[in-house]
Amino acid sequence: MRKINVQELIPAVKKLCIEANYYIGNDIITKLQEMAAREKSATAREVLAILLKNHQLAAQNMMPLCQDTGTAVIFVELGQEIHLTGGDFTEALNEGVRQGYEAGYLRKSIVNDPVFDRINTRDNTPAIIYMEIVPGNEIRITVAPKGAGAENMSDLKMLKPADGIEGVINFVVDVVSRAGSNPCPPVIVGVGLGGNFEYSALLAKKALLRPLNQTNPIAKWAKLEADILKKINNLGIGPQGLGGRTTALGVNIQAEPCHIASLPVAVNIQCHAARCKSLVL
Amino acid sequence: MVAEKYLKTPLQENDLEQLHIGDKVLITGTIYTGRDEAHKRLIKLLGQGEALPFDIKGQIIYYVGPAPAPPGKPIGSAGPTTSYRMDPYAPALLAAGIKVMIGKGPRQQNVIDAMVKHKAVYLVAIGGAAVVIADSIKEAKVIAFEDLGTEAIRELRVENFPCVVANDIKGNDIYREGRKKYEVTQ
């Protein structure tokens, strides 16, 4: 049994919030460069060049890539041989968010209730936290801040099993088509297939954590991802919706078993600023 | 090649006539920020016949809620927010004299019609290019509705603030035409 004091999590989460908002992954930069080289629209190439410059300037000036520094979404994989001590685990994660958003000059975008008061909590808490118990004696923490522009364009549908692959493709492409310029394309499309109503949405979010340079290890899903990506890039939406062939940088699918009568499909749209940083304690 | 145009404030009578959808525009001078709640308040003041916190005639308004300014910088990251939420207010502000709106995403037809009527344009800043944009903002000061925090109205002094023309004074719309041009029918 390894003991970990939850107070140790505070600086770790603080650091992840700041780094995730300042520095984008190389997988995204490489993909933006590749797609810019193939882009037919001059306006689109111009937009992609500005986005690449933005990533560079953000890192150089230590400023958030986007002013919408998002909801702090935290994934925790907790080793089952760990004994947590020293206080409230959830509160420690929220304290890390509080300190990170203040010290990193990140925008606080959370309101206290969705319909009545909508008063800003002023410290970007509460975070949205997902826990998983895994074998071992380590904690892996991933912070994936998510802006509202892209999140608002996400969608979920309970398809009939008879709708099959065709139904899945049509729904995913339709969600991106309807989203148009709103999620700040080029986007990354997270697709959760199977599970049930709420689990498919979580799968779609988790699918977004897979870097763009990692192909889906299961060939049938990798092919479906490529097919959907092609259809999306044929929509003509382009960077920022101004027209072009670079509408999505990637489609990531995560699938799980489901009920004999169900075919849940959830689509989580992510803008090109796919912020995500992890560490292991 | 994308045509590159320059706008300097105060805007002159025919400055906007040279702009066509798809042109890249670099703005230098003074612009004002305002988003959801600030628009609501401006419209309320107009309705009550009261003076606005700044003279909006001939001005440029930018839909943004910036991140806090880090030490030594006038402003934090400052990319555009989605414009359709300002559509209910835009025709009244155009009638009152606003000449340029900057945001992201398409506008409703009645807003485009109001632009044609009042010879105004809509430019889009690049969503996600928040640091490039912040870099073009040299000074920022809150001039109204300070209680709104990030949503307060700020006066910005900008140099070569980058955007693209989305609706010109003829009512052309890049969101319709751009997508049509690059769509591959399956």
Side-chain angles (χ1 to χ4, degrees), chain A residues 41-43 46-47 50-51 53-54 57-58 61 63-67 105-107 177 181-182 184 231 234-237 240-245 272, chain B residues 2 22 24 35 65-66 68-71 73 75-80 82 104-106 126-132 174-175 178-179 182-184 186:
Chain A
S41 153
T43 305
E46 181 77 33
V47 171
I50 292 176
L51 292 179
K53 188 179 166 201
N54 190 68
L57 264 187
N61 293 357
M63 281 168 76
L65 296 155
C66 179
Q67 75 288 341
Y105 297 91
L106 309 180
R107 197 179 81 181
S177 177
S181 70
N182 290 324
C184 291
K231 281 183 185 278
N234 279 343
L235 290 171
I237 296 170
Q240 298 296 307
L242 304 179
R245 297 280 162 76
H272 59 88
Chain B
V2 179
K24 179 179 174 181
R35 52 179 286 166
K73 301 267 180 200
I75 200 162
S77 298
T82 309
K104 72 178 175 82
I126 310 304
V131 189
V132 170
I174 198 171
Y175 289 106
R179 183 166 175 175
Y182 292 97
E183 187 177 6
V184 180
Q186 292 155 35

Short mmCIF file of all heavy atoms in Angstrom, two decimals, chain A residues 41-43 46-47 50-51 53-54 57-58 61 63-67 105-107 177 181-182 184 231 234-237 240-245 272, chain B residues 2 22 24 35 65-66 68-71 73 75-80 82 104-106 126-132 174-175 178-179 182-184 186:
data_model
loop_
_atom_site.label_atom_id
_atom_site.label_comp_id
_atom_site.label_asym_id
_atom_site.label_seq_id
_atom_site.Cartn_x
_atom_site.Cartn_y
_atom_site.Cartn_z
N SER A 41 -7.84 26.41 -50.85
CA SER A 41 -8.32 27.78 -50.72
C SER A 41 -7.24 28.68 -50.13
O SER A 41 -6.63 28.36 -49.10
CB SER A 41 -9.56 27.80 -49.81
OG SER A 41 -9.67 29.06 -49.17
N ALA A 42 -7.02 29.81 -50.77
CA ALA A 42 -5.99 30.76 -50.31
C ALA A 42 -6.38 31.34 -48.95
O ALA A 42 -5.54 31.50 -48.06
CB ALA A 42 -5.79 31.87 -51.33
N THR A 43 -7.68 31.65 -48.78
CA THR A 43 -8.14 32.19 -47.49
C THR A 43 -7.90 31.16 -46.40
O THR A 43 -7.44 31.48 -45.30
CB THR A 43 -9.66 32.53 -47.56
OG1 THR A 43 -9.86 33.41 -48.65
CG2 THR A 43 -10.15 33.19 -46.29
N GLU A 46 -4.33 30.98 -45.39
CA GLU A 46 -4.03 32.15 -44.58
C GLU A 46 -4.46 31.93 -43.12
O GLU A 46 -3.72 32.20 -42.18
CB GLU A 46 -4.78 33.35 -45.18
CG GLU A 46 -4.57 34.66 -44.49
CD GLU A 46 -3.23 35.29 -44.84
OE1 GLU A 46 -2.76 35.10 -45.97
OE2 GLU A 46 -2.66 35.96 -43.95
N VAL A 47 -5.68 31.39 -42.95
CA VAL A 47 -6.20 31.13 -41.60
C VAL A 47 -5.32 30.10 -40.88
O VAL A 47 -4.95 30.27 -39.72
CB VAL A 47 -7.66 30.63 -41.66
CG1 VAL A 47 -8.13 30.14 -40.29
CG2 VAL A 47 -8.59 31.74 -42.15
N ILE A 50 -2.13 31.57 -39.66
CA ILE A 50 -2.33 32.40 -38.45
C ILE A 50 -2.46 31.50 -37.22
O ILE A 50 -1.91 31.79 -36.16
CB ILE A 50 -3.55 33.33 -38.61
CG1 ILE A 50 -3.26 34.40 -39.67
CG2 ILE A 50 -3.92 34.00 -37.29
CD1 ILE A 50 -4.42 35.32 -40.00
N LEU A 51 -3.16 30.37 -37.37
CA LEU A 51 -3.31 29.45 -36.23
C LEU A 51 -1.95 28.87 -35.81
O LEU A 51 -1.67 28.75 -34.61
CB LEU A 51 -4.27 28.31 -36.57
CG LEU A 51 -5.74 28.72 -36.74
CD1 LEU A 51 -6.60 27.51 -37.09
CD2 LEU A 51 -6.28 29.41 -35.49
N LYS A 53 0.92 30.29 -36.24
CA LYS A 53 1.66 31.39 -35.60
C LYS A 53 1.15 31.59 -34.16
O LYS A 53 1.92 31.89 -33.25
CB LYS A 53 1.47 32.67 -36.43
CG LYS A 53 2.34 33.81 -35.97
CD LYS A 53 2.14 35.04 -36.84
CE LYS A 53 2.75 36.25 -36.17
NZ LYS A 53 2.19 37.50 -36.69
N ASN A 54 -0.16 31.41 -33.99
CA ASN A 54 -0.76 31.58 -32.67
C ASN A 54 -0.18 30.58 -31.65
O ASN A 54 0.12 30.94 -30.52
CB ASN A 54 -2.28 31.40 -32.76
CG ASN A 54 -2.99 31.79 -31.49
OD1 ASN A 54 -3.03 32.97 -31.12
ND2 ASN A 54 -3.50 30.82 -30.77
N LEU A 57 3.29 31.78 -30.74
CA LEU A 57 3.28 32.98 -29.89
C LEU A 57 2.78 32.67 -28.47
O LEU A 57 3.28 33.25 -27.50
CB LEU A 57 2.35 34.04 -30.49
CG LEU A 57 2.94 35.13 -31.35
CD1 LEU A 57 1.85 36.15 -31.68
CD2 LEU A 57 4.11 35.83 -30.66
N ALA A 58 1.81 31.75 -28.37
CA ALA A 58 1.26 31.40 -27.06
C ALA A 58 2.37 30.81 -26.18
O ALA A 58 2.52 31.18 -25.02
CB ALA A 58 0.11 30.41 -27.21
N ASN A 61 5.05 33.66 -25.45
CA ASN A 61 4.60 34.71 -24.52
C ASN A 61 4.01 34.13 -23.24
O ASN A 61 3.60 34.87 -22.37
CB ASN A 61 3.52 35.58 -25.17
CG ASN A 61 4.05 36.40 -26.33
OD1 ASN A 61 5.24 36.36 -26.62
ND2 ASN A 61 3.18 37.12 -27.00
N MET A 63 1.06 32.59 -22.82
CA MET A 63 -0.33 33.05 -22.74
C MET A 63 -1.23 31.93 -23.24
O MET A 63 -0.79 31.11 -24.05
CB MET A 63 -0.52 34.30 -23.60
CG MET A 63 -0.01 35.58 -22.93
SD MET A 63 0.06 36.94 -24.10
CE MET A 63 -1.68 37.37 -24.24
N PRO A 64 -2.49 31.89 -22.77
CA PRO A 64 -3.38 30.82 -23.25
C PRO A 64 -3.64 30.92 -24.75
O PRO A 64 -3.83 32.02 -25.27
CB PRO A 64 -4.65 31.01 -22.43
CG PRO A 64 -4.56 32.37 -21.84
CD PRO A 64 -3.12 32.72 -21.75
N LEU A 65 -3.66 29.77 -25.42
CA LEU A 65 -3.89 29.68 -26.87
C LEU A 65 -5.17 30.38 -27.26
O LEU A 65 -5.28 30.99 -28.31
CB LEU A 65 -4.10 28.21 -27.25
CG LEU A 65 -2.93 27.28 -27.05
CD1 LEU A 65 -3.43 25.87 -26.88
CD2 LEU A 65 -2.02 27.41 -28.23
N CYS A 66 -6.19 30.24 -26.40
CA CYS A 66 -7.51 30.80 -26.67
C CYS A 66 -7.98 31.48 -25.39
O CYS A 66 -7.65 31.02 -24.29
CB CYS A 66 -8.48 29.69 -27.06
SG CYS A 66 -10.16 30.29 -27.39
N GLN A 67 -8.75 32.58 -25.55
CA GLN A 67 -9.24 33.27 -24.35
C GLN A 67 -10.25 32.41 -23.60
O GLN A 67 -10.43 32.56 -22.40
CB GLN A 67 -9.84 34.64 -24.70
CG GLN A 67 -11.20 34.62 -25.36
CD GLN A 67 -11.15 34.13 -26.79
OE1 GLN A 67 -10.10 34.11 -27.41
NE2 GLN A 67 -12.29 33.71 -27.32
N TYR A 105 -3.24 33.33 -15.32
CA TYR A 105 -4.02 34.39 -15.98
C TYR A 105 -4.99 33.77 -16.98
O TYR A 105 -5.12 34.21 -18.12
CB TYR A 105 -3.11 35.42 -16.66
CG TYR A 105 -2.26 36.13 -15.64
CD1 TYR A 105 -0.99 35.65 -15.31
CD2 TYR A 105 -2.74 37.24 -14.97
CE1 TYR A 105 -0.22 36.28 -14.35
CE2 TYR A 105 -1.97 37.88 -14.00
CZ TYR A 105 -0.72 37.38 -13.70
OH TYR A 105 0.02 38.00 -12.75
N LEU A 106 -5.67 32.71 -16.55
CA LEU A 106 -6.65 32.03 -17.40
C LEU A 106 -8.04 32.59 -17.09
O LEU A 106 -8.30 33.00 -15.96
CB LEU A 106 -6.60 30.52 -17.14
CG LEU A 106 -5.20 29.88 -17.21
CD1 LEU A 106 -5.28 28.38 -16.92
CD2 LEU A 106 -4.56 30.12 -18.57
N ARG A 107 -8.90 32.59 -18.10
CA ARG A 107 -10.23 33.17 -17.90
C ARG A 107 -11.10 32.23 -17.07
O ARG A 107 -11.09 31.02 -17.27
CB ARG A 107 -10.90 33.42 -19.25
CG ARG A 107 -12.08 34.38 -19.16
CD ARG A 107 -12.70 34.63 -20.51
NE ARG A 107 -13.60 33.55 -20.89
CZ ARG A 107 -14.26 33.51 -22.04
NH1 ARG A 107 -14.11 34.47 -22.93
NH2 ARG A 107 -15.06 32.51 -22.32
N SER A 177 -21.60 19.08 -40.04
CA SER A 177 -22.16 19.96 -41.07
C SER A 177 -23.01 21.06 -40.43
O SER A 177 -22.88 22.24 -40.76
CB SER A 177 -23.00 19.13 -42.04
OG SER A 177 -23.61 19.97 -42.98
N SER A 181 -19.30 26.85 -38.91
CA SER A 181 -18.13 27.61 -38.44
C SER A 181 -18.08 27.72 -36.91
O SER A 181 -17.06 28.12 -36.36
CB SER A 181 -18.18 29.01 -39.03
OG SER A 181 -19.24 29.73 -38.43
N ASN A 182 -19.18 27.40 -36.23
CA ASN A 182 -19.26 27.69 -34.79
C ASN A 182 -18.18 27.08 -33.91
O ASN A 182 -17.72 27.72 -32.97
CB ASN A 182 -20.64 27.33 -34.26
CG ASN A 182 -21.70 28.27 -34.78
OD1 ASN A 182 -21.46 29.45 -34.95
ND2 ASN A 182 -22.88 27.75 -35.09
N CYS A 184 -15.15 26.69 -34.43
CA CYS A 184 -13.81 27.12 -34.87
C CYS A 184 -13.05 26.02 -35.61
O CYS A 184 -11.97 25.60 -35.17
CB CYS A 184 -12.97 27.60 -33.69
SG CYS A 184 -13.55 29.13 -33.00
N LYS A 231 -15.44 12.29 -45.72
CA LYS A 231 -16.76 12.90 -45.97
C LYS A 231 -16.85 14.29 -45.32
O LYS A 231 -17.41 15.23 -45.90
CB LYS A 231 -17.88 12.02 -45.43
CG LYS A 231 -18.21 10.84 -46.34
CD LYS A 231 -19.38 10.04 -45.79
CE LYS A 231 -19.65 8.79 -46.62
NZ LYS A 231 -20.44 9.05 -47.82
N ASN A 234 -15.04 16.84 -47.27
CA ASN A 234 -15.71 17.15 -48.53
C ASN A 234 -16.87 18.13 -48.34
O ASN A 234 -17.47 18.57 -49.30
CB ASN A 234 -16.25 15.87 -49.17
CG ASN A 234 -15.16 15.11 -49.92
OD1 ASN A 234 -14.10 15.67 -50.22
ND2 ASN A 234 -15.40 13.85 -50.22
N LEU A 235 -17.20 18.47 -47.09
CA LEU A 235 -18.33 19.38 -46.86
C LEU A 235 -18.04 20.79 -47.34
O LEU A 235 -18.95 21.57 -47.59
CB LEU A 235 -18.68 19.42 -45.36
CG LEU A 235 -19.33 18.16 -44.75
CD1 LEU A 235 -19.40 18.29 -43.23
CD2 LEU A 235 -20.73 17.93 -45.33
N GLY A 236 -16.73 21.14 -47.41
CA GLY A 236 -16.37 22.46 -47.91
C GLY A 236 -16.35 23.56 -46.85
O GLY A 236 -16.06 24.71 -47.15
N ILE A 237 -16.65 23.20 -45.58
CA ILE A 237 -16.74 24.21 -44.52
C ILE A 237 -15.41 24.98 -44.39
O ILE A 237 -15.39 26.21 -44.41
CB ILE A 237 -17.11 23.56 -43.17
CG1 ILE A 237 -18.52 22.94 -43.25
CG2 ILE A 237 -17.05 24.58 -42.02
CD1 ILE A 237 -18.89 22.07 -42.06
N GLN A 240 -12.41 27.92 -40.04
CA GLN A 240 -13.30 29.01 -39.60
C GLN A 240 -14.60 29.09 -40.40
O GLN A 240 -15.31 30.08 -40.31
CB GLN A 240 -12.57 30.37 -39.67
CG GLN A 240 -11.37 30.46 -38.78
CD GLN A 240 -11.76 30.36 -37.30
OE1 GLN A 240 -12.62 31.09 -36.83
NE2 GLN A 240 -11.16 29.43 -36.58
N GLY A 241 -14.88 28.08 -41.21
CA GLY A 241 -16.13 28.09 -41.98
C GLY A 241 -16.09 28.99 -43.20
O GLY A 241 -17.12 29.26 -43.82
N LEU A 242 -14.86 29.44 -43.57
CA LEU A 242 -14.75 30.40 -44.68
C LEU A 242 -14.60 29.69 -46.03
O LEU A 242 -14.38 30.34 -47.04
CB LEU A 242 -13.56 31.34 -44.43
CG LEU A 242 -13.60 32.10 -43.10
CD1 LEU A 242 -12.37 32.98 -42.95
CD2 LEU A 242 -14.86 32.95 -42.99
N GLY A 243 -14.71 28.38 -46.02
CA GLY A 243 -14.59 27.59 -47.25
C GLY A 243 -13.22 26.97 -47.38
O GLY A 243 -12.21 27.64 -47.15
N GLY A 244 -13.18 25.68 -47.73
CA GLY A 244 -11.91 24.98 -47.88
C GLY A 244 -12.06 23.51 -47.58
O GLY A 244 -13.16 23.03 -47.30
N ARG A 245 -10.94 22.81 -47.68
CA ARG A 245 -10.99 21.35 -47.49
C ARG A 245 -10.50 20.90 -46.12
O ARG A 245 -10.47 19.72 -45.83
CB ARG A 245 -10.13 20.67 -48.57
CG ARG A 245 -10.63 20.91 -49.98
CD ARG A 245 -11.79 19.98 -50.33
NE ARG A 245 -12.54 20.45 -51.47
CZ ARG A 245 -12.13 20.36 -52.73
NH1 ARG A 245 -10.99 19.79 -53.01
NH2 ARG A 245 -12.87 20.83 -53.71
N HIS A 272 -9.43 23.02 -32.86
CA HIS A 272 -8.03 22.62 -33.10
C HIS A 272 -7.16 22.81 -31.86
O HIS A 272 -6.11 22.19 -31.74
CB HIS A 272 -7.45 23.41 -34.26
CG HIS A 272 -7.51 24.88 -33.99
ND1 HIS A 272 -6.51 25.53 -33.35
CD2 HIS A 272 -8.50 25.77 -34.20
CE1 HIS A 272 -6.88 26.79 -33.20
NE2 HIS A 272 -8.08 26.95 -33.70
N VAL B 2 -4.56 36.07 -51.37
CA VAL B 2 -5.64 36.80 -50.70
C VAL B 2 -5.32 38.29 -50.75
O VAL B 2 -4.19 38.68 -50.48
CB VAL B 2 -5.74 36.35 -49.22
CG1 VAL B 2 -6.83 37.10 -48.49
CG2 VAL B 2 -5.96 34.85 -49.13
N GLY B 22 -13.76 37.70 -48.28
CA GLY B 22 -12.52 36.93 -48.46
C GLY B 22 -11.27 37.76 -48.32
O GLY B 22 -10.18 37.22 -48.14
N LYS B 24 -8.35 39.89 -46.72
CA LYS B 24 -7.74 40.00 -45.40
C LYS B 24 -7.67 41.49 -45.06
O LYS B 24 -7.32 42.30 -45.92
CB LYS B 24 -6.33 39.40 -45.45
CG LYS B 24 -5.59 39.48 -44.15
CD LYS B 24 -4.21 38.83 -44.27
CE LYS B 24 -3.43 39.05 -42.98
NZ LYS B 24 -2.08 38.47 -43.07
N ARG B 35 -19.81 42.32 -25.80
CA ARG B 35 -20.43 41.05 -26.14
C ARG B 35 -21.80 40.99 -25.49
O ARG B 35 -22.42 42.04 -25.34
CB ARG B 35 -19.51 39.86 -25.82
CG ARG B 35 -18.95 39.84 -24.41
CD ARG B 35 -18.09 38.62 -24.20
NE ARG B 35 -18.93 37.42 -24.09
CZ ARG B 35 -18.44 36.19 -24.16
NH1 ARG B 35 -17.17 35.99 -24.35
NH2 ARG B 35 -19.25 35.16 -24.00
N GLY B 65 -14.41 38.49 -25.09
CA GLY B 65 -14.30 38.48 -23.63
C GLY B 65 -12.89 38.03 -23.30
O GLY B 65 -12.62 36.84 -23.20
N PRO B 66 -11.95 38.97 -23.19
CA PRO B 66 -10.54 38.59 -23.08
C PRO B 66 -10.19 37.86 -21.78
O PRO B 66 -10.88 38.00 -20.78
CB PRO B 66 -9.81 39.93 -23.15
CG PRO B 66 -10.81 40.95 -22.73
CD PRO B 66 -12.15 40.42 -23.15
N PRO B 68 -7.58 37.43 -18.53
CA PRO B 68 -6.91 38.48 -17.75
C PRO B 68 -5.54 38.82 -18.33
O PRO B 68 -4.85 37.95 -18.86
CB PRO B 68 -6.75 37.85 -16.36
CG PRO B 68 -7.66 36.67 -16.32
CD PRO B 68 -7.88 36.23 -17.73
N ALA B 69 -5.15 40.10 -18.21
CA ALA B 69 -3.85 40.53 -18.73
C ALA B 69 -2.72 40.02 -17.83
O ALA B 69 -2.74 40.26 -16.63
CB ALA B 69 -3.80 42.05 -18.79
N PRO B 70 -1.75 39.32 -18.40
CA PRO B 70 -0.59 38.94 -17.58
C PRO B 70 0.28 40.18 -17.33
O PRO B 70 0.13 41.19 -18.04
CB PRO B 70 0.14 37.92 -18.45
CG PRO B 70 -0.42 38.03 -19.83
CD PRO B 70 -1.68 38.82 -19.77
N PRO B 71 1.19 40.12 -16.35
CA PRO B 71 2.01 41.30 -16.05
C PRO B 71 2.75 41.79 -17.29
O PRO B 71 3.26 40.99 -18.06
CB PRO B 71 3.01 40.77 -15.01
CG PRO B 71 2.42 39.50 -14.49
CD PRO B 71 1.53 38.96 -15.53
N LYS B 73 1.50 43.12 -19.96
CA LYS B 73 0.72 43.10 -21.21
C LYS B 73 -0.54 43.93 -21.01
O LYS B 73 -1.11 43.96 -19.92
CB LYS B 73 0.29 41.67 -21.55
CG LYS B 73 1.43 40.70 -21.72
CD LYS B 73 1.84 40.61 -23.17
CE LYS B 73 2.99 39.62 -23.32
NZ LYS B 73 3.72 39.83 -24.55
N ILE B 75 -3.42 43.29 -22.31
CA ILE B 75 -4.62 42.44 -22.35
C ILE B 75 -4.17 40.98 -22.43
O ILE B 75 -3.05 40.69 -22.85
CB ILE B 75 -5.49 42.83 -23.58
CG1 ILE B 75 -6.95 42.36 -23.42
CG2 ILE B 75 -4.90 42.31 -24.90
CD1 ILE B 75 -7.92 43.07 -24.35
N GLY B 76 -5.04 40.08 -22.00
CA GLY B 76 -4.76 38.65 -22.16
C GLY B 76 -5.21 38.18 -23.54
O GLY B 76 -5.56 38.99 -24.40
N SER B 77 -5.23 36.86 -23.73
CA SER B 77 -5.66 36.29 -25.01
C SER B 77 -7.05 36.83 -25.35
O SER B 77 -7.90 36.93 -24.48
CB SER B 77 -5.67 34.77 -24.92
OG SER B 77 -4.35 34.32 -24.66
N ALA B 78 -7.25 37.17 -26.62
CA ALA B 78 -8.45 37.95 -26.95
C ALA B 78 -9.03 37.58 -28.32
O ALA B 78 -9.20 38.42 -29.19
CB ALA B 78 -8.12 39.44 -26.89
N GLY B 79 -9.36 36.31 -28.49
CA GLY B 79 -10.00 35.88 -29.73
C GLY B 79 -11.48 36.22 -29.73
O GLY B 79 -12.06 36.53 -28.69
N PRO B 80 -12.11 36.12 -30.90
CA PRO B 80 -13.53 36.50 -31.04
C PRO B 80 -14.47 35.49 -30.41
O PRO B 80 -14.14 34.32 -30.30
CB PRO B 80 -13.73 36.49 -32.55
CG PRO B 80 -12.78 35.43 -33.04
CD PRO B 80 -11.56 35.58 -32.16
N THR B 82 -18.63 33.97 -30.62
CA THR B 82 -19.57 33.69 -31.71
C THR B 82 -20.61 34.80 -31.84
O THR B 82 -21.26 35.18 -30.87
CB THR B 82 -20.23 32.33 -31.47
OG1 THR B 82 -19.19 31.37 -31.22
CG2 THR B 82 -21.02 31.88 -32.67
N LYS B 104 -17.09 36.07 -34.91
CA LYS B 104 -16.88 34.87 -35.71
C LYS B 104 -18.21 34.18 -35.95
O LYS B 104 -19.11 34.26 -35.12
CB LYS B 104 -15.87 33.93 -35.05
CG LYS B 104 -16.37 33.21 -33.81
CD LYS B 104 -15.30 32.26 -33.27
CE LYS B 104 -15.73 31.62 -31.97
NZ LYS B 104 -16.60 30.46 -32.15
N GLY B 105 -18.33 33.53 -37.10
CA GLY B 105 -19.54 32.79 -37.43
C GLY B 105 -20.55 33.64 -38.19
O GLY B 105 -20.51 34.87 -38.14
N PRO B 106 -21.47 32.97 -38.92
CA PRO B 106 -22.41 33.67 -39.80
C PRO B 106 -23.44 34.51 -39.06
O PRO B 106 -23.74 34.28 -37.90
CB PRO B 106 -23.09 32.53 -40.55
CG PRO B 106 -22.89 31.31 -39.72
CD PRO B 106 -21.62 31.51 -38.97
N ILE B 126 -10.02 35.43 -36.35
CA ILE B 126 -9.81 33.99 -36.38
C ILE B 126 -10.01 33.39 -34.98
O ILE B 126 -9.24 33.69 -34.07
CB ILE B 126 -8.38 33.65 -36.89
CG1 ILE B 126 -8.08 34.39 -38.20
CG2 ILE B 126 -8.21 32.14 -37.05
CD1 ILE B 126 -9.05 34.15 -39.31
N GLY B 127 -11.04 32.56 -34.86
CA GLY B 127 -11.31 31.89 -33.58
C GLY B 127 -10.14 30.98 -33.25
O GLY B 127 -9.76 30.14 -34.05
N GLY B 128 -9.56 31.17 -32.09
CA GLY B 128 -8.41 30.36 -31.71
C GLY B 128 -7.10 31.10 -31.91
O GLY B 128 -6.07 30.69 -31.38
N ALA B 129 -7.12 32.21 -32.66
CA ALA B 129 -5.87 32.98 -32.85
C ALA B 129 -5.75 34.06 -31.78
O ALA B 129 -5.35 35.19 -32.04
CB ALA B 129 -5.84 33.58 -34.25
N ALA B 130 -6.08 33.69 -30.56
CA ALA B 130 -6.26 34.67 -29.49
C ALA B 130 -4.97 35.39 -29.08
O ALA B 130 -5.02 36.54 -28.63
CB ALA B 130 -6.84 33.97 -28.27
N VAL B 131 -3.83 34.74 -29.26
CA VAL B 131 -2.57 35.38 -28.87
C VAL B 131 -2.07 36.30 -29.99
O VAL B 131 -1.56 37.39 -29.73
CB VAL B 131 -1.49 34.34 -28.49
CG1 VAL B 131 -0.28 35.02 -27.88
CG2 VAL B 131 -2.05 33.31 -27.51
N VAL B 132 -2.25 35.86 -31.25
CA VAL B 132 -1.89 36.71 -32.40
C VAL B 132 -2.69 38.01 -32.30
O VAL B 132 -2.16 39.10 -32.52
CB VAL B 132 -2.20 35.97 -33.73
CG1 VAL B 132 -2.08 36.92 -34.91
CG2 VAL B 132 -1.27 34.77 -33.90
N ILE B 174 -19.55 35.29 -47.06
CA ILE B 174 -18.50 34.30 -47.29
C ILE B 174 -18.89 32.92 -46.77
O ILE B 174 -18.45 31.90 -47.29
CB ILE B 174 -17.16 34.75 -46.67
CG1 ILE B 174 -16.02 33.94 -47.31
CG2 ILE B 174 -17.15 34.62 -45.16
CD1 ILE B 174 -14.64 34.41 -46.95
N TYR B 175 -19.72 32.87 -45.73
CA TYR B 175 -20.08 31.56 -45.17
C TYR B 175 -20.89 30.74 -46.17
O TYR B 175 -20.80 29.53 -46.22
CB TYR B 175 -20.84 31.73 -43.85
CG TYR B 175 -19.93 32.20 -42.75
CD1 TYR B 175 -19.98 33.51 -42.29
CD2 TYR B 175 -18.99 31.34 -42.19
CE1 TYR B 175 -19.13 33.95 -41.29
CE2 TYR B 175 -18.13 31.77 -41.19
CZ TYR B 175 -18.22 33.07 -40.74
OH TYR B 175 -17.36 33.49 -39.76
N GLY B 178 -18.20 30.57 -49.63
CA GLY B 178 -16.97 29.81 -49.42
C GLY B 178 -17.24 28.33 -49.38
O GLY B 178 -16.56 27.52 -50.02
N ARG B 179 -18.26 27.94 -48.63
CA ARG B 179 -18.57 26.52 -48.47
C ARG B 179 -19.01 25.90 -49.79
O ARG B 179 -18.59 24.81 -50.15
CB ARG B 179 -19.64 26.35 -47.39
CG ARG B 179 -19.97 24.91 -47.11
CD ARG B 179 -20.76 24.76 -45.82
NE ARG B 179 -21.16 23.38 -45.62
CZ ARG B 179 -21.77 22.93 -44.53
NH1 ARG B 179 -22.05 23.75 -43.55
NH2 ARG B 179 -22.11 21.67 -44.43
N TYR B 182 -16.12 25.00 -52.17
CA TYR B 182 -15.20 23.91 -51.86
C TYR B 182 -15.89 22.60 -51.50
O TYR B 182 -15.25 21.62 -51.16
CB TYR B 182 -14.24 24.33 -50.73
CG TYR B 182 -13.31 25.40 -51.22
CD1 TYR B 182 -13.56 26.74 -50.98
CD2 TYR B 182 -12.21 25.07 -52.00
CE1 TYR B 182 -12.75 27.73 -51.48
CE2 TYR B 182 -11.37 26.05 -52.50
CZ TYR B 182 -11.65 27.38 -52.24
OH TYR B 182 -10.83 28.35 -52.74
N GLU B 183 -17.22 22.59 -51.60
CA GLU B 183 -17.97 21.37 -51.30
C GLU B 183 -17.75 20.35 -52.41
O GLU B 183 -17.75 20.69 -53.59
CB GLU B 183 -19.46 21.72 -51.20
CG GLU B 183 -20.28 20.56 -50.72
CD GLU B 183 -21.75 20.93 -50.55
OE1 GLU B 183 -22.14 22.07 -50.91
OE2 GLU B 183 -22.50 20.08 -50.07
N VAL B 184 -17.53 19.07 -52.03
CA VAL B 184 -17.43 18.00 -53.01
C VAL B 184 -18.71 17.19 -52.88
O VAL B 184 -18.99 16.63 -51.82
CB VAL B 184 -16.21 17.10 -52.73
CG1 VAL B 184 -16.12 15.99 -53.76
CG2 VAL B 184 -14.95 17.93 -52.71
N GLN B 186 -21.17 14.24 -52.98
CA GLN B 186 -20.85 12.81 -52.88
C GLN B 186 -21.94 11.95 -53.51
O GLN B 186 -23.07 12.34 -53.54
CB GLN B 186 -20.68 12.44 -51.42
CG GLN B 186 -19.44 13.09 -50.83
CD GLN B 186 -19.51 13.27 -49.34
OE1 GLN B 186 -20.06 12.47 -48.62
NE2 GLN B 186 -18.93 14.37 -48.87
#
